[in-house]
Amino acid sequence: REWHNAAEGRITVMLGPHAPYTCPPAYLKKVVALSEKLGAEIHIHLAETAGEVKTCIEKHGKTPIALMNDLGVLDRGVLAAHCVHVSAEDIQIMKQKNVRVAHNPGSNMKLASGIGPVPEMLAAGLNVGLGTDGAASNNNLDMLEEMRLAAMLHKVHRGDPLLIPASTAVSMATTFGANALGLGQVTGCLLPGFKADITLFDMRAPHWYPRHDRASLLIYSAAAADVHTVIVDGKILLDNRTLTTIDEEQMLKEVQQRGMRLIQ
């Protein structure tokens, strides 16, 4: 009620039941009812591991995707995290219900969750955006790294160097990511009327040469250290690699103190 569409439409709020194996059907029905009452969409982890799918089938006689469909969850507008172990039938349900996917290759690799059928989901017309998952399962939260992993992981997994070309990986991190969050008419593209959300890269280092294909360079050559300027809604938040709104030294000190407190 307080934050949805706040910050001039930049903040979107979804209800966040964790996953079918932690939220039983009776609870999820309550989430659906609240979603209808608030006009809110739903973000949920689905089919992240093979064990999750196996347990769901044993307990409910259907996959997590099919179960969510039967419970009405998918009718509320869903952003589904992971979707690693989804079948062709699941993908068809997701297409029919316009389920958006958050693909998290780094997290899926670290946790050995598996490799999702992203090429099939994209071919079916699903909106597949890129995410990092949380710091517990993806330490650096580096979106450039996620772009590179998304572009390379499926190539080696399928033995096909043409899968997820660089331009597709860029779209997954930008346009598709914005669509996944319900911000597709606000940001994600450099177009008139959209938010001035722009990242500028310093391309003077040797790994940016030769410059035949800029999208390919961004995916396969760029590093986080190459980010020179970050502009959000026209406001410069990183200027020549220096944060303009945060005392970085103080932030690092507090992160260290709080992190050590957690493990003591």
Side-chain angles (χ1 to χ4, degrees):
R1 293 187 182 97
E2 183 176 352
W3 289 102
H4 188 54
N5 288 324
E8 299 180 350
R10 182 171 302 285
I11 297 175
T12 55
V13 180
M14 298 180 184
L15 300 179
H18 172 248
Y21 61 90
T22 52
C23 300
Y27 179 83
L28 288 170
K29 288 181 179 179
K30 293 180 180 180
V31 173
V32 170
L34 182 60
S35 169
E36 293 172 346
K37 180 179 179 180
L38 295 177
E41 294 191 329
I42 295 172
H43 169 54
I44 187 170
H45 296 66
L46 292 176
E48 182 175 0
T49 67
E52 172 194 339
V53 175
K54 181 175 181 291
T55 299
C56 189
I57 292 174
E58 291 173 349
K59 191 170 184 179
H60 302 288
K62 56 196 69 176
T63 67
I65 298 293
L67 178 62
M68 295 305 99
N69 191 37
D70 287 352
L71 294 174
V73 173
L74 304 187
D75 294 320
R76 297 305 310 149
V78 166
L79 171 57
H82 301 295
C83 296
V84 174
H85 299 276
V86 291
S87 65
E89 293 77 14
D90 289 333
I91 291 174
Q92 287 305 308
I93 293 173
M94 294 162 71
K95 174 60 178 175
Q96 292 167 8
K97 299 296 183 177
N98 193 31
V99 173
R100 293 100 66 195
V101 177
H103 177 43
N104 309 291
S107 171
N108 295 156
M109 292 172 70
K110 183 181 180 185
L111 299 181
S113 299
I115 303 173
V118 170
E120 285 78 8
M121 288 192 279
L122 289 171
L126 292 182
N127 186 93
V128 183
L130 283 182
T132 61
D133 209 347
S137 59
N138 187 343
N139 302 62
N140 60 15
L141 307 182
D142 185 338
M143 279 299 293
L144 279 172
E145 184 174 286
E146 296 304 314
M147 292 163 67
R148 185 170 297 124
L149 288 174
M152 297 177 72
L153 179 62
H154 303 283
K155 290 177 172 63
V156 69
H157 178 55
R158 304 294 182 84
D160 184 351
L162 300 180
L163 289 180
I164 316 295
S167 59
T168 299
V170 172
S171 294
M172 291 171 70
T174 54
T175 307
F176 299 172
N179 290 337
L181 296 172
L183 293 170
Q185 300 303 311
V186 177
T187 188
C189 297
L190 295 177
L191 292 172
F194 280 58
K195 299 288 187 183
D197 296 339
I198 304 167
T199 299
L200 303 179
F201 289 84
D202 185 341
M203 299 173 62
R204 291 174 293 182
H207 56 268
W208 286 92
Y209 290 88
R211 295 178 182 171
H212 298 303
D213 185 323
R214 302 298 175 96
S216 181
L217 284 169
L218 182 63
I219 295 301
Y220 300 116
S221 298
D226 296 327
V227 175
H228 182 280
T229 301
V230 174
I231 304 170
V232 176
D233 198 13
K235 300 173 183 176
I236 299 176
L237 302 187
L238 183 76
D239 186 6
N240 193 16
R241 298 182 174 86
T242 300
L243 295 169
T244 63
T245 63
I246 296 174
D247 183 333
E248 190 169 357
E249 186 175 345
Q250 180 64 27
M251 176 194 69
L252 295 175
K253 177 182 176 182
E254 290 192 22
V255 167
Q256 179 65 18
Q257 289 175 342
R258 296 176 190 218
M260 295 306 295
R261 196 161 65 223
L262 286 172
I263 62 175
Q264 289 175 352

